[in-house]
Amino acid sequence: MAGDMARVNFPGYSPERLPSGAIRHRVRVKDSPKVKITLPCGPDNPDFQTAYLAARAGIKPDKTRVEVAPRSGTVGWLVNAYMAHLARMVDSGQASHLTLKQRRGMAQRLLDRRSTSGGSKGKEYRGLPMVIPAAELMAMRDDMMATPGAAKNTFKFLRAMYAWAVDRGHCSVNPAAAIKVEYTSAGGAVPWSIDDFAKFRKAHPQGTMAHLTLTLFVFTACRIEDAIALGRRHETRNGSWLAWTPGKRGSRPVDIPILPPLAEAIRSQKIVGDTYLLTEAGKPFASPEALRNRLRKWCATAGLENRTSHGIRKAAGHLLALHGATQYEIMSVHGHANAATSQIYTRDVERTQLAERAVARLSGVEW
């Protein structure tokens, strides 16, 4: 029986026979090879495909419910259908796996949320009609007041899901479209200062993996998801340049020279692996989060708090601008597709230079 089910064409589905003889139906989450979700039924059950697609999108079945598949026309049905669509977009290269990962958590929180008004008060959204009333959405927004960034991303997810549903005729309105989320950026990650770099390098001298990590971030301005993948296979022009395409969807290819500090940091490593950055066991980091956790510990050793890899990337952008790099030059290093994204690094520098030249015009005024 298990052999027959294994031949069913459901990517990531792997039935397992337990010692008792029973079959456990397991599905690997898309883009997370180590994460599997157990389904309460197999391919012979009419609810299997819906549960399978939801599991591939990272959504676990609610064990308290008798039915695996949510009723058609409910929030649960809509979320499962949309997340399955998003997973297929990732498969075809039309969406980022990072977007899918982010929206899995949002989808689960939406399903678990309970209504705050009317006859449905206290009931989970998963079983309620798919078009969530505006009053409910505003209540959700207000509940997220303390985390405006999360609120902004959640409503971005809701608008996208409902736009998809309207486009396919599942519903006639997008109830999230008119809900405004007040959001003022706090500036994001804290850029590292020159003193921060000095403290980190003092605690982690050349030859350590921590030193190479900092140097790689500073002299490539790469994102953490790219840092764990970069290695000698990306070297070009007899090892003097690095070329790669960032993993973030919409990014442009990056091709930059390996400057002497980075070349020296790479050569100083005693263990050579498939990637530049290796764990204590000499293996590539399994995920961006793994490197993020390690960097946090290195920063703590150096007496640095609230410092991240993205803060290094921001600092690299500012350093480039301070040393005369143009907006478009920074775009080529950061892999930005939109000039406005790189403009944040040059804007203040250019204003300072303009102010300096403007004030200089007064130098000959008699006073």
Side-chain angles (χ1 to χ4, degrees):
M1 180 178 178
D4 293 338
M5 285 189 292
R7 289 193 291 271
V8 175
N9 186 26
F10 289 109
Y13 168 59
S14 56
E16 302 170 358
R17 187 176 294 279
L18 302 177
S20 64
I23 301 299
R24 181 167 60 182
H25 304 282
R26 303 269 279 167
V27 174
R28 176 176 55 80
V29 175
K30 176 65 181 173
D31 291 320
S32 299
K34 296 183 179 180
V35 180
K36 289 187 176 181
I37 291 177
T38 300
L39 303 185
C41 62
D44 55 341
N45 190 298
D47 293 328
F48 174 80
Q49 186 166 7
T50 300
Y52 162 80
L53 291 174
R56 285 287 278 171
I59 300 175
K60 296 180 180 180
D62 187 344
K63 296 180 181 179
T64 65
R65 291 174 59 85
V66 176
E67 297 178 342
V68 174
R71 297 191 311 277
S72 178
T74 61
V75 172
W77 179 89
L78 175 61
V79 167
N80 282 1
Y82 174 69
M83 293 303 294
H85 160 75
L86 192 56
R88 290 192 292 270
M89 288 189 68
V90 172
D91 283 337
S92 62
Q94 298 179 59
S96 167
H97 70 281
L98 297 175
T99 300
L100 177 61
K101 180 179 179 181
Q102 181 193 56
R103 291 187 177 178
R104 283 173 187 157
M106 295 176 185
Q108 195 63 55
R109 287 191 292 273
L110 181 67
L111 294 174
D112 294 340
R113 183 174 171 83
R114 295 181 182 276
S115 174
T116 61
S117 61
S120 62
K121 186 174 182 178
K123 295 182 179 179
E124 291 184 342
Y125 276 20
R126 70 179 72 247
L128 299 178
M130 72 167 69
V131 178
I132 303 173
E136 277 291 321
L137 291 177
M138 287 188 283
M140 181 193 303
R141 178 199 61 190
D142 294 344
D143 287 345
M144 303 180 75
M145 191 177 299
T147 54
K152 176 186 175 184
N153 288 330
T154 296
F155 275 83
K156 183 177 179 180
F157 156 63
L158 286 169
R159 293 186 193 103
M161 180 177 70
Y162 278 114
W164 173 84
V166 170
D167 188 53
R168 285 155 182 79
H170 298 315
C171 60
S172 59
V173 296
N174 184 334
I179 305 297
K180 295 182 179 180
V181 179
E182 298 296 333
Y183 173 74
T184 301
S185 174
V190 177
W192 288 48
S193 67
I194 298 299
D195 287 342
D196 292 339
F197 290 148
K199 289 179 68 174
F200 190 93
R201 286 184 292 153
K202 183 177 180 179
H204 306 288
Q206 185 163 296
T208 63
M209 189 56 60
H211 181 278
L212 174 57
T213 300
L214 176 65
T215 307
L216 182 69
F217 278 127
V218 170
F219 289 93
T220 65
C222 66
R223 296 182 178 87
I224 195 166
E225 59 265 28
D226 299 320
I228 63 173
L230 287 177
R232 286 164 176 79
R233 67 182 181 279
H234 295 99
E235 295 176 1
T236 62
R237 309 187 197 188
N238 295 320
S240 63
W241 284 59
L242 273 181
W244 77 95
T245 300
K248 185 175 181 179
R249 179 171 171 77
S251 298
R252 297 294 185 263
V254 176
D255 191 9
I256 58 175
I258 300 176
L259 295 180
L262 178 55
E264 192 173 348
I266 292 172
R267 287 195 300 267
S268 70
Q269 296 302 307
K270 296 179 180 179
I271 300 177
V272 176
D274 293 335
T275 57
Y276 291 137
L277 305 185
L278 303 171
T279 66
E280 293 177 346
K283 303 292 184 182
F285 284 89
S287 66
E289 194 59 35
L291 178 56
R292 190 173 286 112
N293 290 335
R294 176 53 59 185
L295 179 61
R296 191 177 296 117
K297 292 179 181 178
W298 287 332
C299 286
T301 300
L304 297 172
E305 297 182 359
N306 194 28
R307 295 296 183 270
T308 65
S309 62
H310 193 66
I312 304 174
R313 177 176 165 86
K314 291 177 70 172
H318 290 307
L319 282 171
L320 286 167
L322 284 169
H323 284 79
T326 68
Q327 178 178 338
Y328 294 97
E329 288 171 340
I330 295 174
M331 282 180 66
S332 67
V333 174
H334 278 55
H336 291 153
N338 188 339
T341 308
S342 297
Q343 186 183 25
I344 61 174
Y345 300 113
T346 60
R347 182 175 53 218
D348 291 340
V349 172
E350 289 173 350
R351 286 177 63 86
T352 300
Q353 293 171 343
L354 287 170
E356 182 180 15
R357 290 199 295 270
V359 172
R361 298 178 186 276
L362 301 177
S363 60
V365 174
E366 294 185 7
W367 194 259

